[in-house]
Amino acid sequence: MLKSLSISNVAVIKEAVIDFESGLNVLTGETGAGKSIIIDSLNLITGNRASKDIVRTGEKSARVEALFDIDDAMINTLSELGIDASDGELLISREVSVEGKNNIRINGGLSTLAILGKIGRELINIHGQNENQELYNSDKHIKLLDNFAGCGELLEEYRAEFRDAKRISDEIKALDTDEYEKERKLELLNYEIELIENTNLKEGEYEELLEKRKIIANGKKISDNLSSAYDLIKKGYGHPSCDEQLSDAMKEIGEIASFDKGIEEIHTKITDAYYALEDVSEALRDYMNSFSFNEYEIDEIEKRIDEINELRRRFGKDYETVMAYLDKIKREAEDIILSDERILMFKKELEAKKEKLLKLSTKLTEKRKQAAEILKKDVMTHLNELNMKNALFEVLVTKEDKFTKDGVDKVEFLLSANAGMEAGKLNKIASGGELSRIMLGINCALLKTNTVPTVIYDEIDTGVSGRAAQKIAEKLWYVSGDRQVLCVTHLAQIASMADTHFLIEKQVEENTTHTKVIKMQREMRINELARIIGGAVITENTGKSAEDMLNQAEKYKKGETL
């Protein structure tokens, strides 16, 4: 259960610490005092999205901390998430900055919003006006019935099969195009396959062709320059050639090399240069002998380059990309050719899936119909206790002609609020006050399948007064018998039934608004009940009425006859 809630700089609350107790905890106060901020703070703890607008004006961040006592099941859940809570306590803190950044810690360790949401849903259930309004939406009714019926595992098994069936159906749709479209696409694919294969592209060929084109385009200059360079080294054009001059220099230095070590080193270098020049001249001669070019070949090269460029323009910039595209379109062409066979195969798979879906959905329907009768009786019992004695509550389970993610059933809650009237849709029949009691009745019926230790009712008393209010108060106290209940209310009947009563009070100090949370003892509670009953002016009569109401509540809880 929730032991303590600490709030810092959330809207008008600068600092507040609320120590909750087991049983029925009630929060009251003037409109605008900040009761909704308590609920907003608890929503942060359960993993709801946060807006930076919650940060108190002038502050950099808002912070909420909640301390829980937890059972072994939650300890194990946390352990699976890597969170140690072996001492049976869980501390959740969440900080929201004016920049909208979140800092979430669970038992001191950093955590994520997804993990917080998973944990929060198992710690607290918050029921507010939005949930009441959701009762008007019949699409939500199937989820409530499934929770009551315990359809979780069966529904998940069904949904896994439904997802597979949807995937297979999509495959069939993708393959099952009309014959003209298939022929048109296959013709295009075959044209592209033939174009690529007939071009007979080789790896590295394009680069070789570009190199060869460059050589042929400069063939005459290459030949002339090679010949000229060779003649300069070996012939000299009427003058001593380079190698002759270098040979003479080698002989001249050789005659004096023995006289000095430095001259000997120079002789060695000249000798090395001579033989290197001989190697160069041989390489030039060999290249000239092997070099040939046909300037008429350039046309064939240009034509081949154009063919390859066309492939590159249409299918990819290099050999690897073009070949990858060829593989892809070959597979597509094969898929089209084999599409009739594949469609037949997929249709057989789909039929098998539909048989499984039919079996599972039939089980779901049976389970829902059985649970619908029990839920109907349970809700009727609770509605009777909530002063709706003439109400008729129905859970209608009807079969639809198609599979959906929830099976083949449509579930709708129907109500007749008055004797002799036919049950109809909630949005046509139920008033605001009746809707609050219906929601509470359903909640009470669902308690047996709900293990969440803390339940919060935010203004469940909307549109309710008099005897109905008293019955809601009694029912809330009944709910708090095996779990902690927190309730925000404007009704004295509900407030009087509290085991622990908090006053949310707004104060203005130095032109700054603050909200305080006060745990009230008996005398303060009488004054607060009198305020709720009589308004701003508390008379002796309203004070006496408040005390009587508190006394009656205490007797009721003790089981004494009123």
Side-chain angles (χ1 to χ4, degrees), residues 151 154-155 158 360-368 406:
C151 290
L154 181 59
L155 186 59
Y158 169 86
L360 291 170
S361 63
T362 300
K363 288 181 180 179
L364 278 170
T365 299
E366 290 171 356
K367 200 164 188 176
R368 284 166 178 161
D406 294 318

Side-chain angles (χ1 to χ4, degrees), residues 32 37-38 57-58 133 148 160 166 178 191 193 215 219 232 240 287 298 363 378 383 438 443 515 526 552:
I37 298 168
I38 309 295
T57 302
Q133 293 302 314
F148 181 79
K166 178 72 167 58
D178 62 62
Y191 168 76
I193 291 168
I215 290 171
L232 285 170
Y287 196 93
I298 194 71
K363 288 181 180 179
D378 285 358
L383 291 180
I438 294 166
N443 285 165
T515 291
I526 291 171
Q552 289 175 21

Side-chain angles (χ1 to χ4, degrees), residues 119-155:
I119 294 170
R121 286 191 295 272
E122 297 187 36
L123 291 170
I124 296 175
N125 268 355
I126 300 178
H127 302 286
Q129 288 302 301
N130 287 340
E131 283 186 289
N132 283 359
Q133 293 302 314
E134 282 187 355
L135 273 182
Y136 284 143
N137 184 356
S138 59
D139 292 339
K140 305 289 184 181
H141 297 171
I142 193 168
K143 182 178 179 182
L144 291 170
L145 179 60
D146 284 347
N147 287 341
F148 181 79
C151 290
E153 290 186 11
L154 181 59
L155 186 59

Side-chain angles (χ1 to χ4, degrees), residues 1-3 19-25 453-454 477 480-486 498-500:
M1 74 170 196
L2 176 63
K3 288 178 64 177
D19 294 321
F20 293 102
E21 304 289 346
S22 59
L24 179 58
N25 295 257
T454 298
W477 186 76
S480 72
D482 64 348
R483 70 198 63 216
Q484 184 187 45
V485 174
L486 276 59
D499 297 314
T500 308

